[in-house]
Structure formats: structure tokens, C-alpha cells
Amino acid sequence: MSTVDQTEIFEAERPRLLRIASQVLDDHSEAEDIVQQAWLRLDRTDTNIDSLPAWLTTVTTRLCLDRLRARTPVPVDEIQLPEPAPDPADDVVLADTVGVALQYVLDRLSPAERVAFVLHDSFGFEFPTIAAVLDVTPAAARKLASRARAKVSQPAPEGPLAEWEVVDAFMSAARNGEFERLLHLLAPDAAVTADDAAILAGTPQRIDGRQEVATFFNGSAKAALSVFIGERPAAAWFHRGEARVLFDFTVVDGLVSRITFRAEPKVLEQAARRDGGDRRS
């Protein structure tokens, strides 16, 4: 196949590849980057390709899978203030169509579950094709999609979230730069405050208003991990295995009304890692 033919087929397939990547990643900008990477791989490959659309689908989906796996937060040495918030109109926000609760459940799927679920349930791919993408057997691909479907169908989208689900949904939206989801999760009079120790560590003293709080958190918190402070779900920045700054949430009627940055040593000593609503053993 000539380079001209490859380019024409790629451009014809680009909208479909972008839809797949957008749904898997829930981030339009990342999806565009993934599709561009797929094109670069095509341009550099010397492999004989029987079906270019199938090859592009496989490469695009595997790149998405790598990106999902790379999203796992890791501790950093210092607090990073977020960049200015992007225009939310540029983002593909799945929460607008399926609700915050369902989107949070999708966030909890493993990368392989999410890929299997999106490819099968949203795009109708057969399990042998999905299996080839994930490098598993068709039976395993079917099980991944089934398990993902079961997780997604557990909560009703309009049902109330547990407090820890609200906290984790907020932190996930912050981490992934999902501005509209942050707005959905914040009370109109939401505020951020801080104790003296946190202010000395570099956190803002106070932020008032849903828009301002969402702007501050949008794209940040990449190194925050889930914790309990006493019996309350919270999040914290860790460095070398120790909590350095705690995000203490106040949740009212399913919305975040206040976040207090706390860095007093006696408070940080109480932070205990958690998985969802369960304390880590």
C-alpha cells in the first residue's frame, strides 16, 4: 500500500478512532494525542498490514490502555499549583450524559475492564477482536466486559453517593482535569480554607466560590492518595510514605461544601490509607 493510500485511509478512520479514544479516556485532548501517536506508528512501521482500519483500532486502543495505566497517581516531592483552567468546552465530559455517579464507577474500572466495556458496549466490537487488543483470550475479554458491566450497573445514576464516593469522585475529576465534573460536585458556596501549617507549606489561605475552587483544583492533585482522617474520608499528599498535606472534606447533601488543607503533625498522624470506603489493612 502506498503512503498516499495509507494517509487517505487514516484520515477516513480518524473520526472513528477519536471517538473510541475519547470514550475510553474521557478526555478529548488526550484522545487527539493518542490518535496522532497512532498515525506516527503507522508512518514508521514496515509491517505488512492486512486490514489498516483493524490495525489502527488495535494500536489506538493499546495506546489508550497504556495511558490509563499511567494515570495511577504517585507521590511527588512538593505541592504543584495547577495551571490555568482550560476551556471546559474543549473537554468531552462523560458525566454530562451518564451522571456523576455512573462516571465515578467508570473511573473505578481497571484499564482492561474499561477498554473491554467501551469497545463492546459502546462500539459493538466482538470479543475475539477485543481479546487481540488486550492480549487475552476471548473468554477472558468477555469476562472483563461482564465484570465492568456489573460494576457500572450497581448504582443508579440519580442515586445518592456515599461520602467517600463524593470525595474520590472529586479527586478523580481534579486529577484528570474534568472541570465540569468538579462544578457538578461542588456546592454553590464551596470554599477552601487552610490551617497555619498548611499555609506555611504553600497552600492558599482561602478560596471562595464553586467556580474559583473548581479552577484551583482542575488538573491538580495528581499525587493525592485516598485516606481516612478519623472516620471521615479524605485525601492527602504523601512524600516518602508520609502524609504531608491533608485535604479534609465537608460533604453536605452529596456536594463538597468545604475543603480544609491541614498540615499540623498531630492531624497528619491520624491519616490512614484507604481503598474506597474500606481502611487498608
Side-chain angles (χ1 to χ4, degrees):
M1 184 182 297
S2 69
T3 302
V4 173
D5 290 337
Q6 282 190 342
T7 302
E8 289 179 351
I9 294 174
F10 175 80
E11 290 302 327
E13 291 294 319
R14 183 193 288 271
R16 183 180 65 86
L17 299 173
L18 190 57
R19 287 196 301 273
I20 291 173
S22 293
Q23 283 216 29
V24 171
L25 297 174
D26 190 28
D27 188 308
H28 189 66
S29 296
E30 277 195 295
E32 289 182 325
D33 181 52
I34 288 294
V35 173
Q36 184 62 26
Q37 287 186 45
W39 162 250
L40 292 175
R41 291 201 177 188
L42 174 62
D43 188 52
R44 295 167 183 167
T45 188
D46 295 326
T47 305
N48 291 324
I49 301 172
D50 294 330
S51 172
L52 188 52
W55 187 91
L56 288 168
T57 298
T58 299
V59 170
T60 298
T61 309
R62 286 180 174 170
L63 287 169
C64 288
L65 193 61
D66 291 341
R67 190 67 61 92
L68 286 173
R69 288 168 174 160
R71 282 181 178 178
T72 303
V74 295
V76 296
D77 290 348
E78 59 185 38
I79 296 174
Q80 299 286 338
L81 295 181
E83 298 294 327
D87 184 353
D90 293 337
D91 294 329
V92 177
V93 184
L94 194 57
D96 286 343
T97 57
V98 300
V100 171
L102 180 55
Q103 175 56 35
Y104 174 61
V105 175
L106 287 176
D107 287 343
R108 295 169 64 193
L109 300 180
S110 72
E113 287 173 342
R114 185 159 179 160
V115 166
F117 176 75
V118 169
L119 289 184
H120 184 265
D121 286 47
S122 296
F123 292 92
F125 282 88
E126 299 294 333
F127 287 115
T129 301
I130 298 171
V133 169
L134 295 175
D135 196 23
V136 298
T137 66
R142 182 185 297 274
K143 185 175 292 185
L144 285 166
S146 176
R147 193 161 59 208
R149 197 176 302 111
K151 290 181 181 179
V152 168
S153 64
Q154 284 172 0
E158 68 278 8
L161 293 173
E163 189 168 321
W164 68 266
E165 291 179 305
V166 176
V167 171
D168 287 359
F170 182 89
M171 296 307 296
S172 174
R175 188 177 300 119
N176 295 325
E178 297 167 358
F179 187 72
E180 288 296 323
R181 283 187 68 204
L182 289 171
L183 291 177
H184 281 301
L185 288 161
L186 286 163
D189 59 348
V192 170
T193 58
D195 65 19
D196 291 340
I199 294 170
L200 287 173
T203 68
Q205 184 172 359
R206 187 176 182 92
I207 304 172
D208 287 297
R210 171 193 280 161
Q211 189 83 16
E212 289 73 16
V213 174
T215 298
F216 176 79
F217 276 96
N218 189 49
S220 67
K222 295 185 184 298
L225 303 175
S226 299
V227 300
F228 279 116
I229 179 69
E231 298 300 320
R232 297 193 311 280
W237 259 305
F238 278 74
H239 175 51
R240 295 181 179 176
E242 294 184 3
R244 297 303 178 114
V245 178
L246 179 79
F247 299 166
D248 197 351
F249 282 76
T250 300
V251 177
V252 179
D253 296 329
L255 295 175
V256 175
S257 66
R258 185 175 296 271
I259 302 170
T260 303
F261 292 129
R262 306 177 69 182
E264 296 172 353
K266 290 183 179 180
V267 174
L268 296 177
E269 288 173 2
Q270 301 175 44
R273 292 292 308 280
R274 64 179 172 86
D275 288 318
D278 298 322
R279 192 177 299 267
R280 279 195 177 185
S281 56

